[in-house]
Amino acid sequence: MRAASILALIGCLATVTESKVYTRCKLAKIFSRAGLDNYKGFSLGNWICMAYYESHFNSTAQKFLKDGSIDYGIFQVNSDTWCRRAEFQEKNYCHITCSALLNDDLVYAIICAKIIVRETEGMDYWQGWKKHCEGRDLAKWKRGCNV
């Protein structure tokens, strides 16, 4: 009986930590509904392109950096400035826990990304965007998605 309970608990935990990798068109629809298309002058293509090069559309992506901080979620938001890990006192300008950025519904990630764009005056915060998306024709990122 006890072994069955432990296995059930492990199964629940495995389900919670399972990553969600979105399709391009699913993200286009979510981002469009969330008001990201032309938010602060950045087209929907910019947001989709950035999410691809930052996380490959993986809502639970995490990147551990040399300085001890961690980039979280679909937009790879950094723990040092934008969110708070329980054991550290980061700046937390988005006023959220970093774990909230790993949620599959993307609400907190989108709210935080809007704050970043507003507070940093653009998408230059994201190196993936600067390297692969900035100044390019981004129409292909929403092509065929009916948004």
Side-chain angles (χ1 to χ4, degrees), residues 30-40 42 47 110 114:
I30 291 170
F31 290 175
S32 182
R33 281 194 307 267
L36 287 179
D37 193 11
N38 290 316
Y39 182 77
K40 296 294 180 183
F42 293 96
W47 292 96
I110 291 169
K114 285 181 173 182

Side-chain angles (χ1 to χ4, degrees), residues 3 14 24 31-32 42 61 65 79 97 121 126 141:
R24 178 180 55 84
F31 290 175
S32 182
F42 293 96
L65 304 174
S79 64
T97 63
E121 299 180 17
W126 290 282
W141 290 100

Side-chain angles (χ1 to χ4, degrees), residues 6-134:
I6 291 171
L7 288 174
L9 177 61
I10 290 170
C12 288
L13 291 174
T15 302
V16 170
T17 60
E18 190 175 311
S19 70
K20 169 80 174 186
V21 179
Y22 288 89
T23 65
R24 178 180 55 84
C25 286
K26 179 67 174 174
L27 272 185
K29 289 174 183 171
I30 291 170
F31 290 175
S32 182
R33 281 194 307 267
L36 287 179
D37 193 11
N38 290 316
Y39 182 77
K40 296 294 180 183
F42 293 96
S43 70
L44 189 58
N46 279 285
W47 292 96
I48 300 166
C49 179
M50 181 268 285
Y52 176 78
Y53 286 106
E54 289 295 326
S55 68
H56 293 280
F57 302 150
N58 184 346
S59 66
T60 60
Q62 294 182 56
K63 182 178 180 183
F64 297 84
L65 304 174
K66 291 179 185 176
D67 67 1
S69 67
I70 303 170
D71 289 345
Y72 287 90
I74 200 103
F75 298 124
Q76 291 294 277
V77 173
N78 189 265
S79 64
D80 186 50
T81 305
W82 302 104
C83 63
R84 181 184 53 78
R85 295 178 285 175
E87 67 274 13
F88 297 102
Q89 294 298 320
E90 293 92 356
K91 295 172 187 148
N92 193 13
Y93 292 140
C94 287
H95 304 291
I96 57 172
T97 63
C98 296
S99 61
L101 296 168
L102 303 175
N103 194 316
D104 288 347
D105 72 10
L106 304 181
V107 170
Y108 294 111
I110 291 169
I111 290 169
C112 189
K114 285 181 173 182
I115 292 169
I116 292 169
V117 167
R118 187 176 65 240
E119 296 298 318
T120 63
E121 299 180 17
M123 295 185 86
D124 285 350
Y125 168 79
W126 290 282
Q127 293 303 306
W129 178 81
K130 285 179 64 95
K131 185 176 180 181
H132 301 284
C133 312
E134 184 179 25

